[in-house]
Amino acid sequence: MDKTYMTHEFDVVIIGAGGAGLRAAIEATKSDISVAVICKSMLGKAHTVMAEGGAASALSNKDPRDSWMTHFRDTMKGGKYLGDWRMAEIHAKESPDRIRELEQWGAIFDRTPSGLTNQRNFGGHTYPRLAHIGDATGLEIIRTLQERGIHTGMEVFMEYTVRHLFKTEGRISGCFAYNRVDGSLHLFKSKAIVLATGGITRCWSVCSGSWEYSGEGHALAYWVGAELGDMEFVQFHPTGMIWPPSVRGILVTEGVRGEGGMLTNSEGERFMFDYVPEMYRDEFADTEEEAMDWVNSIVADETPTARRPPELLTRDVVAKAINSEREAGRASEHGGAYLNISWRPEDQVKKKLPGMYHQFMELAAVDITKEPMEVGPTAHYVMGGVKVHPETQESTIPGLYAAGEAATGLHGANRLGGNSLSDLITFGRRAGMYAAKSAIEIEEFAEISHEEIEKVVEETLAPLLRKGGENPAKVVEDLRELMQQKVGIIRQGQQLEEALEELEAFREREESASPGGTRVYNPGWHQALEIGAMIDVSKMCALAALAREESRGGHTRLDFPVPDYSHWGKINSVIVKGSDGEMKLSHTRYPPIPDRLKEFLDAEDLHEDEEESNV
Amino acid sequence: MSDDVTFRVFRGEPDESGKPNGKMVDYTVEMDEGMVVLDVIHRIQAEHAPDLSCRWNCKAGKCGSCSAEVNGKPRLMCMTRMDEIMHETPEGQPILVKPMQTFPLTKDLVTDLEWAYQINQTIPPLSGPDEMNWEFDQIEADRVQEFRSCIECMLCVNTCHVMREHQLFGQFAGPRFFVRLANLEMHPMDEEDRIAMIKDDFGIGYCNITRCCTEVCPAGINITDNAIIPLKERVVTEYYDPVAIIAKKLGIRK
């Protein structure tokens, strides 16, 4: 088989063309350097396109009481205080300008009556904060960045998959990719690389992610020796479609609840009133009447004085509540909960949630303007990722940057809805800017080890040389089922240990999987190559989850059902590949929150009196 | 509902001259309730043909990757329910799945869309005021937001006879890009003028408003009436309307 490869040289290589990658590319091209964007799908199709509800930023257009301080506070609180406070501060301060700038580049967000960018309510945000266009905000953001990006001089390598990152004398020096269309091989020499590769949720059988979410970015960083953090924290979005089976997991935007959608169980009860956590009790309505008052204000476009309905609690809380209702035998017909927006006039539902209307009409034959939807939790987002410097987004490997879902820090143990799109544009910009700065300081492209290149070439072509093995699709299906059963929304020590053992057994199956066919656009071959990354990121999640003996945000242990404030509530997990090749887990903590920021937080949430002396 | 279904799928690659070279292959798989065409394709990959090429991403009609011709009709495979397909297919007949016919074939159900990215590059982008915090009303946004809902599935271009039969790729922008041009021309803050390009470079005159593009648009954009005809009117006013031309000469009109 032909092992030749083409060599390219780019000052900065950006891997991924979703919101973070494109925003990084736009920023990096402002310097006089060469920039390549490498992406697995065609331009404009990346996972960002699936985001629905909106991008959170304290523009204060809709409610003048909002400010970056409140956004900072909501983000830290929603993340159960395990987030990087400096990232949360930067995000809260910079995201408004990032949104305004998108409008100058062509985004057309919905307007307020005075003609400014409108903002929608979402879970965990004290004030209406999400800039949106109906329920297709992700499409708007990716299209805007695409249309801006193509005029910046960036070079796009579409339908390429990166297989390996190279280091030379400790610094990142390039990456190796193959072209999914014709099967050709490519070496990219570069002075800095930005990972904007999104998430890992394809590792679960019920997920809202596309095939792209196989975690290759996380794995690439791990393989090259970077530290990854918080990998136990996986967000199960409370509202995915559950029926019919073929659509299980497809996202139902939180915007439905932001627009007044109500959750009920099989007995018709609005069960969320029973699940308000202590830390949020003051901020949420006690009664259906009060919740209705709030909704009526929203519908009338007035600033509400009532407290919010409990459907707008953070995603971790709502997902677990739906799960508990099912355990208690009060599930909807197909094992979830009912979500009802049909009490609002038909034209309003169609205007505010056009995508949801079509999605349910066409895929489930349900008219959401007339009847309730059926929804249940779906693996949606990983809070964990590459550990980065909060200002520069540089990882622990010099020259390697990460932004968006591929990075960790901003969201702590649980991400607030709407904070992802704003994360992408805020930290995508920073990653692009600092990657360009560091690339400029380097004169020559570094030499890359031939031996290492040969090894990647061998590994990349290996599946095509096998005969008679398993269909890679079967291996992937079984791995996803394992993660769903044993590392899902509710976890237990015993099952996590089993998962770790069973994941290792997948390596043998990976090595024998045979797709058949040629190098030309061969999905079986592509899938065979993803299995290794999926095993490693799944293992990271299970390993970190086994260690964390408490429940917090996107990590719930049946055997340790409550949060532990004295120890686990103050430390973050770190995973790195040891010198022996084994996966190593340790724990660390962010620097103490400075007083200038602490004053915006709820003092009683911090549990400072419950400090362990020996952490 | 757990019946078997047979798909007759195009398998092949272009020959040296670029013409599709392949055959229709039958695959039979079990069908579950609520499946869409893309689910059946995935099941064929998982059970019979791992190397069957097909693009997809969101599986919810938001990304526009899985365009194909099913029973001869251009549609998104992820949004086409099998019960609808079974209903329209004569009993005992296989379901035909082919790639979009207007674009060059890559392999199986995948086509080469390079043209779309090239033409997009030639469209002058939005150019508005430098000050941030733009103000405009929802009613102004509404007109443009319809165009913003385009998912670039290219089904409209695939269907347009200017492209499909006459292959005027170099002379005609195609419905997708008239939607984009209309988006820019009708943007409340845009200051650029693209009318000359729309007439000369993008060949809007070739469109004879048969509305085929509008019929196949999965986003429901009224391409012909809301994008193409208004652009044609602007071209006519600018170049062919004697009153407007005189008004311009006299300085009454820009």
Side-chain angles (χ1 to χ4, degrees):
Chain A
M1 201 167 279
D2 182 11
K3 292 182 183 175
T4 54
Y5 58 85
M6 223 176 129
T7 303
H8 312 260
E9 288 182 350
F10 286 92
D11 293 314
V12 172
V13 167
I14 291 156
I15 307 174
L22 289 175
R23 188 62 190 82
I26 289 168
E27 202 62 26
T29 49
K30 286 181 182 169
S31 307
D32 188 21
I33 55 167
S34 56
V35 176
V37 174
I38 306 177
C39 50
K40 292 206 285 188
S41 284
M42 291 190 298
L43 191 59
K45 308 294 185 194
H47 209 273
T48 304
V49 86
M50 295 164 71
E52 292 165 355
S57 75
L59 295 164
S60 313
N61 289 349
K62 192 75 183 163
D63 193 322
R65 293 172 292 180
D66 201 10
S67 66
W68 75 262
M69 289 84 90
T70 316
H71 193 185
F72 165 76
R73 174 260 185 200
D74 290 348
T75 301
M76 291 298 289
K77 190 176 179 104
K80 320 296 171 201
Y81 302 96
L82 275 190
D84 180 334
W85 52 265
R86 179 68 180 131
M87 275 177 88
E89 179 192 8
I90 290 170
H91 172 253
K93 284 180 174 167
E94 293 183 0
S95 56
D97 273 351
R98 299 288 78 74
I99 295 288
R100 295 182 187 116
E101 157 187 281
L102 284 179
E103 290 208 319
Q104 293 181 304
W105 298 347
I108 304 254
F109 296 115
D110 287 351
R111 318 310 296 171
T112 64
S114 64
L116 294 170
T117 306
N118 200 356
Q119 294 179 278
R120 142 184 296 160
N121 283 286
F122 241 52
H125 292 283
T126 304
Y127 301 113
R129 197 173 274 151
L130 274 71
H132 61 276
I133 164 167
D135 53 6
T137 316
L139 172 65
E140 188 66 7
I141 288 187
I142 202 153
R143 195 67 77 236
T144 301
L145 294 173
Q146 174 188 349
E147 286 167 357
R148 175 80 179 183
I150 56 172
H151 298 290
T152 60
M154 68 184 191
E155 196 164 326
V156 186
F157 294 83
M158 286 184 221
E159 300 191 296
Y160 279 61
T161 295
V162 175
R163 297 274 306 143
H164 189 79
L165 302 178
F166 299 100
K167 247 183 337 192
T168 304
E169 290 166 14
R171 187 186 163 88
I172 216 78
S173 55
C175 65
F176 197 87
Y178 75 99
N179 179 333
R180 302 170 70 93
V181 178
D182 63 15
S184 58
L185 305 173
H186 301 262
L187 173 69
F188 291 84
K189 292 182 158 192
S190 69
K191 298 169 182 172
I193 287 182
V194 178
L195 283 174
T197 45
I200 68 167
T201 44
R202 200 72 191 164
C203 296
W204 285 264
S205 61
V206 180
C207 73
S208 63
S210 79
W211 65 268
E212 292 201 286
Y213 263 39
S214 49
E216 281 155 309
H218 286 67
L220 287 170
Y222 169 73
W223 294 331
V224 80
E227 287 183 0
L228 284 95
D230 306 322
M231 288 300 288
E232 66 271 43
F233 293 113
V234 176
Q235 179 167 84
F236 288 81
H237 193 292
T239 60
M241 291 178 83
I242 57 173
W243 192 259
S246 68
V247 302
R248 211 154 69 118
I250 294 178
L251 190 64
V252 178
T253 177
E254 189 166 326
V256 176
R257 284 169 285 140
E259 297 295 342
M262 300 170 190
L263 284 166
T264 52
N265 60 22
S266 61
E267 293 167 14
E269 292 162 345
R270 273 182 82 179
F271 57 86
M272 281 312 300
F273 286 99
D274 303 332
Y275 293 91
V276 183
E278 199 50 52
M279 71 192 287
Y280 282 110
R281 205 165 281 284
D282 296 343
E283 294 164 46
F284 284 83
D286 297 313
T287 62
E288 291 193 30
E289 292 70 44
E290 187 179 2
M292 204 60 217
D293 274 353
W294 183 90
V295 172
N296 286 334
S297 310
I298 297 306
V299 174
D301 228 340
E302 289 161 1
T303 304
T305 49
R307 291 176 299 175
R308 311 152 69 76
E311 275 87 356
L312 287 174
L313 280 156
T314 52
R315 288 175 175 176
D316 51 333
V317 176
V318 182
K320 280 184 269 188
I322 293 174
N323 205 61
S324 304
E325 286 297 302
R326 187 182 56 206
E327 303 273 304
R330 295 188 292 267
S332 64
E333 190 185 347
H334 299 101
Y338 295 108
L339 175 61
N340 195 353
I341 189 77
S342 67
W343 63 271
R344 285 191 65 174
E346 183 175 331
D347 60 320
Q348 288 181 12
V349 174
K350 285 184 179 168
K351 173 68 191 167
K352 294 284 185 182
L353 303 162
M356 291 303 104
Y357 173 74
H358 284 289
Q359 187 170 309
F360 273 88
M361 200 57 138
E362 285 163 39
L363 296 177
V366 167
D367 182 349
I368 68 167
T369 67
K370 296 193 169 58
E371 52 191 321
M373 298 161 245
E374 262 197 272
V375 294
T378 177
H380 181 57
Y381 188 89
V382 62
M383 274 65 75
V386 181
K387 282 192 87 70
V388 290
H389 185 280
E391 288 163 16
T392 65
Q393 299 293 105
E394 190 167 26
S395 72
T396 53
I397 303 294
L400 180 64
Y401 297 76
E405 194 171 351
T408 191
L410 176 60
H411 311 294
N414 172 63
R415 175 175 69 79
L416 294 184
N419 268 2
S420 182
L421 290 178
S422 47
D423 171 5
L424 305 183
I425 48 181
T426 303
F427 293 105
R429 169 180 165 274
R430 279 184 170 260
M433 181 165 72
Y434 286 100
K437 270 188 188 172
S438 82
I440 287 166
E441 284 166 21
I442 293 170
E443 281 186 13
E444 306 269 323
F445 290 97
E447 280 301 311
I448 292 172
S449 148
H450 285 285
E451 216 178 2
E452 215 175 321
I453 295 169
E454 275 169 33
K455 188 159 169 276
V456 190
V457 171
E458 293 281 337
E459 286 169 359
T460 303
L461 299 176
L464 291 170
L465 302 169
R466 298 177 201 140
K467 293 245 172 342
E470 259 186 300
N471 187 327
K474 180 66 185 151
V475 184
V476 169
E477 187 190 326
D478 289 351
L479 186 147
R480 296 177 66 201
E481 198 51 43
L482 166 68
M483 289 299 285
Q484 187 74 26
Q485 296 307 326
K486 299 193 172 171
V487 197
I489 180 166
I490 308 290
R491 301 157 177 177
Q492 293 182 58
Q494 173 71 27
Q495 292 186 343
L496 292 167
E497 280 172 20
E498 286 168 19
L500 283 168
E501 204 165 302
E502 289 170 39
L503 280 167
E504 280 306 316
F506 274 92
R507 297 201 195 273
E508 224 167 277
R509 293 177 68 184
E510 180 207 356
E511 281 167 24
S512 64
S514 59
T518 69
R519 286 164 76 158
V520 180
Y521 219 110
N522 182 345
W525 176 36
H526 305 161
Q527 199 162 31
L529 292 174
E530 289 162 12
I531 303 170
M534 292 180 87
I535 296 173
D536 278 331
V537 294
S538 297
K539 194 175 162 183
M540 289 178 211
C541 179
L543 191 67
L546 179 62
R548 182 170 288 275
E549 296 184 331
E550 66 153 356
S551 291
R552 176 181 301 270
H555 168 72
T556 303
R557 288 279 297 264
L558 197 62
D559 41 357
F560 298 95
V562 291
D564 167 65
Y565 298 111
S566 63
H567 177 66
W568 292 110
K570 295 182 166 59
I571 61 173
N572 296 71
S573 66
V574 180
I575 282 175
V576 69
K577 192 174 170 184
S579 50
D580 56 357
E582 288 297 307
M583 196 177 281
K584 298 274 188 293
L585 174 74
S586 61
H587 292 88
T588 179
R589 59 194 299 168
Y590 289 113
I593 305 174
D595 290 340
R596 68 181 172 85
L597 293 174
K598 210 184 264 182
E599 65 172 303
F600 308 130
L601 300 175
D602 301 350
E604 68 276 22
D605 285 356
L606 299 178
H607 298 273
E608 287 184 317
D609 47 333
E610 296 171 56
E611 187 77 20
E612 251 182 10
S613 52
N614 59 346
V615 216
Chain B
M1 185 173 86
S2 137
D3 300 328
D4 281 353
V5 62
T6 300
F7 268 33
R8 186 165 287 173
V9 185
F10 177 81
R11 300 293 314 264
E13 289 177 41
D15 62 18
E16 277 162 22
S17 70
K19 286 211 179 73
N21 177 24
K23 56 181 190 290
M24 300 300 288
V25 180
D26 284 6
Y27 300 97
T28 301
V29 294
E30 202 180 299
M31 195 168 50
D32 301 328
E33 182 174 351
M35 268 188 157
V36 293
V37 171
L38 184 62
D39 291 320
V40 176
I41 293 291
H42 284 162
R43 192 160 279 185
I44 292 169
Q45 291 176 326
E47 294 175 5
H48 300 291
D51 65 336
L52 167 61
S53 315
C54 139
R55 280 195 187 104
W56 70 284
N57 281 73
C58 76
K59 211 174 168 292
K62 298 176 201 302
C63 76
S65 300
C66 62
S67 306
E69 297 186 9
V70 184
N71 280 347
K73 195 176 162 196
R75 28 195 165 192
L76 293 179
M77 291 193 284
C78 73
M79 294 303 276
T80 308
R81 280 169 69 98
M82 281 307 297
D83 40 17
E84 178 192 332
I85 291 290
M86 297 310 281
H87 186 72
E88 68 174 37
T89 311
E91 181 123 10
Q93 293 291 308
I95 286 134
L96 303 178
V97 187
K98 292 181 182 173
M100 289 193 285
Q101 301 292 297
T102 302
F103 297 99
L105 178 69
T106 299
K107 177 173 166 268
D108 304 340
L109 301 178
V110 173
T111 50
D112 181 351
L113 299 174
E114 180 59 27
W115 164 82
Y117 289 95
Q118 280 176 4
I119 190 152
N120 201 26
Q121 191 96 42
T122 65
I123 297 176
L126 182 75
S127 167
D130 287 337
E131 307 82 60
M132 281 186 167
N133 256 342
W134 288 0
E135 281 183 37
F136 52 90
D137 292 332
Q138 184 61 44
I139 201 160
E140 294 173 279
D142 278 341
R143 190 161 62 154
V144 185
Q145 280 180 339
E146 179 187 10
F147 306 137
R148 301 294 292 176
S149 67
C150 170
I151 56 175
E152 298 199 327
C153 65
M154 300 300 156
L155 288 173
C156 58
V157 178
N158 181 56
T159 309
C160 173
H161 63 96
V162 180
M163 302 307 225
R164 196 173 177 105
E165 273 134 51
H166 305 288
Q167 294 277 316
L168 294 184
F169 281 101
Q171 301 157 58
F172 184 64
R176 162 37 189 157
F177 297 101
F178 289 124
V179 167
R180 169 142 157 73
L181 286 158
N183 163 192
L184 292 163
E185 286 296 298
M186 297 181 200
H187 191 293
M189 309 299 282
D190 182 62
E191 291 159 358
E192 181 82 38
D193 181 1
R194 302 168 189 80
I195 295 300
M197 289 185 86
I198 289 168
K199 172 175 164 282
D200 300 328
D201 304 326
F202 299 133
I204 197 163
Y206 285 113
C207 168
N208 55 1
I209 51 175
T210 51
R211 293 198 162 76
C212 310
C213 52
T214 304
E215 266 173 47
V216 297
C217 177
I221 303 169
N222 200 337
I223 304 174
T224 314
D225 289 347
N226 293 351
I228 295 179
I229 291 177
L231 289 181
K232 276 178 174 279
E233 284 170 351
R234 289 183 187 206
V235 169
V236 167
T237 307
E238 187 70 26
Y239 292 96
Y240 306 106
D241 179 348
V243 179
I245 290 167
I246 292 164
K248 206 169 163 184
K249 286 220 167 110
L250 296 174
I252 305 167
R253 198 175 173 278
K254 255 208 302 188

